């Protein structure tokens, strides 16, 4: 068997950060007197890159310097809220240990800022021990649903995309994994299985996940 790789998105996949992102976005938008609807949150926030979100809610094309400043402002607010309450999804840590013990290569591929990734790794030390590749928004030029971050992850891990399994919770993330030619498991923290593109499987958490489960997915003919 060829080398197996398992690649995780971060928000909603490593930990259920979306409720805190929701609070942070609402606080941020309140500063600019913007009140998002639930439709706004579902269709124009979750899984989208900050540049898209800010342009959508502020209703104008932001120039580079202003965009960077606003992104930093919002993400700093998120980190302030979330750092003390970081908690991995149920079953994640034993699952990661099982994957690593069985020789799988592991990576993180997130559209979040590197500061958020560093915060998460700092609060969940096992991530630094088991991950062979960790990519954030600074590592790519095209964001999800473009597959660049997943293709680059596979390249860094030295594994063919066809031998990779992706865990994703957003429409754009699932689309990116599929476009990269990888098997995708949908994590239903942000969307129901009906709201996500077709995945190889759907999970609420990692309590029933194991290396053998992932191996079966890789070898399955869909």
């Amino acid at each position: 068997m060829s080398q197996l790789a398992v690649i995780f998105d971060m928000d909603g996949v490593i930990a259920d950060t979306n409720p805190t992102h929701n609070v942070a976005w609402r606080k941020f938008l309140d500063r600019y007197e913007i009140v998002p609807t639930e439709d706004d949150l579902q269709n124009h926030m979750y899984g989208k890159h900050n540049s898209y979100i800010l342009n959508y809610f502020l209703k104008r094309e932001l120039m580079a310097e202003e965009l960077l400043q606003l992104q930093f402002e919002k993400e700093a607010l998120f980190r302030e809220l979330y750092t003390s309450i970081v908690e991995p999804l149920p079953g994640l840590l034993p699952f990661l240990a099982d994957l690593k013990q069985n020789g799988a290569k592991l990576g993180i591929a997130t559209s979040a800022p590197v500061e958020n990734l560093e915060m998460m790794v700092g609060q969940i030390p096992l991530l630094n021990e088991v991950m062979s590749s960790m990519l954030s928004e600074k590592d790519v030029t095209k964001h999800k649903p473009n597959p660049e971050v997943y293709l680059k992850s596979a390249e860094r891990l030295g594994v063919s995309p066809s031998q990779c399994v992706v865990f994703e919770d957003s429409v754009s993330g699932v689309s990116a994994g599929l476009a990269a030619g990888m098997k995708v498991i949908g994590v239903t923290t942000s969307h129901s299985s009906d709201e996500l593109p077709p995945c190889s499987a759907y999970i609420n958490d990692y309590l029933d996940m194991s290396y053998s489960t992932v191996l079966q997915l890789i070898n399955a003919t869909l």
Side-chain angles (χ1 to χ4, degrees):
M1 186 195 72
S2 301
Q3 178 70 58
L4 167 68
V6 183
I7 307 172
F8 298 83
D9 177 40
M10 185 175 72
D11 289 302
V13 173
I14 297 292
D16 189 7
T17 58
N18 288 323
T20 306
H21 273 295
N22 191 325
V23 173
W25 272 115
R26 288 180 184 276
K27 286 180 176 291
F28 172 85
L29 293 173
D30 186 60
R31 294 175 181 175
Y32 296 89
E33 300 182 342
I34 298 169
V35 181
T37 65
E38 190 57 36
D39 179 74
D40 285 330
L41 298 176
Q42 287 293 333
N43 296 315
H44 300 285
M45 182 175 291
Y46 299 141
K48 300 291 194 297
H49 188 257
N50 281 346
S51 58
Y52 171 89
I53 298 170
L54 288 164
N55 282 314
Y56 174 81
F57 283 104
L58 295 178
K59 304 302 182 188
R60 58 190 175 87
E61 190 71 25
L62 298 169
M63 297 297 101
E65 185 175 340
E66 184 183 14
L67 181 60
L68 288 173
Q69 184 271 321
L70 291 171
Q71 287 185 97
F72 185 85
E73 180 183 342
K74 182 268 163 181
E75 293 303 330
L77 181 56
F78 163 74
R79 290 191 296 274
E80 178 183 334
L81 293 168
Y82 195 69
T83 299
S84 63
I85 60 171
V86 173
E87 183 177 359
L89 284 182
L92 175 67
L93 300 187
F95 178 45
L96 293 177
D98 184 45
L99 291 171
K100 192 69 173 181
Q101 184 176 358
N102 281 280
K105 292 189 175 182
L106 305 180
I108 294 175
T110 178
S111 297
V114 65
E115 292 88 354
N116 292 20
L117 177 58
E118 290 170 347
M119 180 268 290
M120 190 73 71
V121 172
Q123 298 300 105
I124 309 176
L126 181 64
L127 297 178
N128 201 42
E129 297 174 21
V130 301
M131 296 296 171
S132 299
S133 172
M134 291 189 282
L135 302 182
S136 68
E137 68 167 356
K138 74 178 183 64
D139 298 301
V140 296
T141 57
K142 298 177 181 178
H143 301 288
K144 303 172 186 177
N146 187 284
E148 181 183 357
V149 71
Y150 283 118
L151 293 173
K152 184 171 283 189
S153 293
E155 182 179 0
R156 286 197 176 187
L157 293 170
V159 179
S160 166
S162 64
Q163 294 299 114
C164 295
V165 172
V166 166
F167 284 84
E168 266 286 358
D169 70 311
S170 69
V171 173
S172 61
V174 171
S175 299
L178 294 173
M182 301 175 178
K183 303 286 178 65
V184 181
I185 297 178
V187 184
T188 57
T189 52
S190 305
H191 298 279
S192 68
S193 57
D194 291 338
E195 294 170 333
L196 293 172
C199 297
S200 297
Y202 302 91
I203 62 171
N204 298 316
D205 53 46
Y206 299 95
L207 293 173
D208 295 323
M209 292 303 300
S210 67
Y211 171 79
S212 61
T213 307
V214 174
L215 194 60
Q216 289 170 14
L217 281 171
I218 280 286
N219 292 329
T221 300
L222 300 181

